[in-house]
């Protein structure tokens, strides 16, 4: 008999509500209901429970919700030994100071990438990277790195996503993945965001499996294709050192 995953629908829906706040800081009842596809009365009951438990806060003036202090209380108890966002932060700060640009850390989550940590450049003109941002895997240096070193099943799943843009040629994308595996890094130049460039390298855990993507990004006025190429060896070495710190 096949194993079946047991889930509690109310818990799933409550988690769906909380995940809505990865896209916006303040949300109204109608917005949340529309995002997760539930009736407003159902969402209201769930929000009331989450509010009573401190996971969301309702602004009585605007009737909008935001994440509550319980979320931050939980995050404060994340293990420094297990959470790459905390564990690798000092090394990311050192890399930012050395290269002068914004440094980000990404994980793959299904067919998306998630920015779990960022250290902003100290320069006046800089690229601000928002922690918690969820981005597609079909574009961007970090996206390509996270896919290039994955198993074939993962690569196929990414290539088959329903919202794959017509402007991105799948064959060219696969060729880029092969080139990334050869070079050990990926670059993007105004590929996802106009005026922005990035270089990314894989972080492997001690078993040799890709654990994350380390990225340096900034404005194209400073990060020319040649500059990205010069940054690559520094980034690869930093990623190698970080990989030795990750527990499996």
């Amino acid at each position: 008999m096949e194993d079946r995953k047991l889930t509690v629908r109310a818990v799933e829906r409550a988690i769906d509500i909380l995940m809505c706040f990865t896209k916006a800081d303040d949300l109204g009842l109608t917005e949340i209901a529309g995002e997760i596809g539930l009736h407003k009365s159902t969402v209201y009951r769930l929000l009331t429970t989450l509010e009573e438990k401190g996971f969301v806060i309702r602004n009585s003036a605007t009737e909008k919700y935001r994440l509550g202090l319980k979320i931050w209380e939980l995050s404060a108890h994340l293990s420094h030994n297990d959470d790459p966002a905390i564990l690798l932060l000092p090394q990311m700060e050192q890399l930012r100071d050395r290269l002068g640009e914004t440094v980000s850390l990404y994980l793959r989550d299904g067919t998306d990438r998630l920015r779990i940590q960022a250290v902003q450049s100290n320069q006046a003109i800089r690229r601000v990277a928002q922690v918690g941002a969820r981005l597609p895997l079909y574009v961007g240096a970090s996206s390509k790195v996270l896919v290039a070193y994955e198993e074939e099943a993962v690569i196929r799943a990414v290539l088959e996503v329903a919202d794959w843009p017509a402007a991105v040629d799948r064959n060219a994308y696969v060729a880029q993945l092969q080139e990334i595996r050869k070079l050990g890094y990926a670059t993007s130049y105004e590929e996802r965001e106009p005026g922005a460039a990035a270089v990314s390298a894989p972080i492997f855990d001690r078993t040799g499996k890709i654990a994350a993507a380390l990225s340096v990004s900034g404005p194209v006025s400073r990060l020319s294709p040649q500059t990205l190429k010069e940054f690559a060896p520094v980034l690869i070495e930093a990623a190698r050192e970080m990989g030795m710190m990750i527990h499996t």
Side-chain angles (χ1 to χ4, degrees):
M1 186 172 63
E2 294 184 1
D3 292 336
R4 297 184 65 185
K5 183 179 178 181
L6 298 178
T7 60
V8 178
R9 172 164 285 192
V11 176
E12 288 182 332
R13 289 173 169 178
I15 292 172
D16 288 341
I17 289 174
L18 292 175
M19 292 304 296
C20 288
F21 293 96
T22 63
K23 301 177 181 179
D25 294 335
D26 299 273
L27 292 168
L29 175 61
T30 301
E31 294 172 288
I32 296 172
E35 179 67 26
I36 65 176
L38 290 176
H39 195 277
K40 287 196 292 185
S41 61
T42 301
V43 174
Y44 179 76
R45 290 195 299 271
L46 290 166
L47 282 167
T48 299
T49 301
L50 289 170
E51 185 180 8
E52 289 177 353
K53 295 296 184 180
F55 286 93
V56 298
I57 298 173
R58 183 176 64 90
N59 186 320
S60 58
T62 63
E63 293 297 321
K64 290 201 171 187
Y65 296 84
R66 59 184 174 86
L67 291 176
L69 296 178
K70 279 292 182 181
I71 295 293
W72 310 117
E73 184 179 338
L74 285 174
S75 67
H77 291 279
L78 284 172
S79 170
H80 284 55
N81 294 325
D82 298 330
D83 183 8
I86 298 173
L87 181 67
L88 303 180
L89 181 58
Q91 285 66 36
M92 293 177 66
E93 290 174 338
Q94 291 175 14
L95 185 62
R96 183 272 315 275
D97 294 343
R98 180 174 181 181
L99 299 180
E101 302 294 348
T102 296
V103 177
S104 299
L105 186 67
Y106 295 92
L107 298 182
R108 182 180 66 84
D109 183 17
T111 55
D112 293 325
R113 61 173 158 130
L114 184 65
R115 186 185 292 122
I116 64 167
Q117 186 61 278
V119 180
Q120 312 298 341
S121 169
N122 291 323
Q123 303 203 52
I125 299 175
R126 61 191 179 188
R127 182 171 181 270
V128 176
Q130 181 183 1
V131 174
R134 184 176 291 273
L135 303 165
L137 285 175
Y138 48 70
V139 67
S142 295
S143 290
K144 290 180 288 187
V145 162
L146 287 170
V147 178
Y149 295 93
E150 271 293 356
E151 299 174 354
E152 285 299 321
V154 173
I155 297 175
R156 286 197 301 272
V158 172
L159 291 171
E160 293 170 1
V161 294
D163 58 351
W164 186 281
V168 180
D169 182 82
R170 284 181 171 86
N171 292 329
Y173 179 85
V174 171
Q176 287 181 336
L177 299 184
Q178 295 173 345
E179 183 69 9
I180 290 164
R181 289 192 290 269
K182 177 182 176 181
L183 295 175
Y185 68 93
T187 62
S188 62
Y189 200 79
E190 295 191 298
E191 189 172 298
R192 187 184 66 82
E193 182 181 337
V199 57
S200 180
I203 297 177
F204 299 105
D205 63 25
R206 296 180 185 181
T207 69
K209 182 177 176 61
I210 185 166
L214 181 66
S215 172
V216 174
S217 61
V220 295
S221 59
R222 290 197 302 269
L223 296 186
S224 66
Q226 180 60 33
T227 302
L228 295 178
K229 185 176 181 179
E230 292 170 357
F231 277 7
V234 178
L235 190 63
I236 291 171
E237 178 59 21
R240 186 192 67 79
E241 294 176 356
M242 291 181 187
M244 296 301 293
M245 300 171 61
I246 295 177
H247 295 267
T248 57

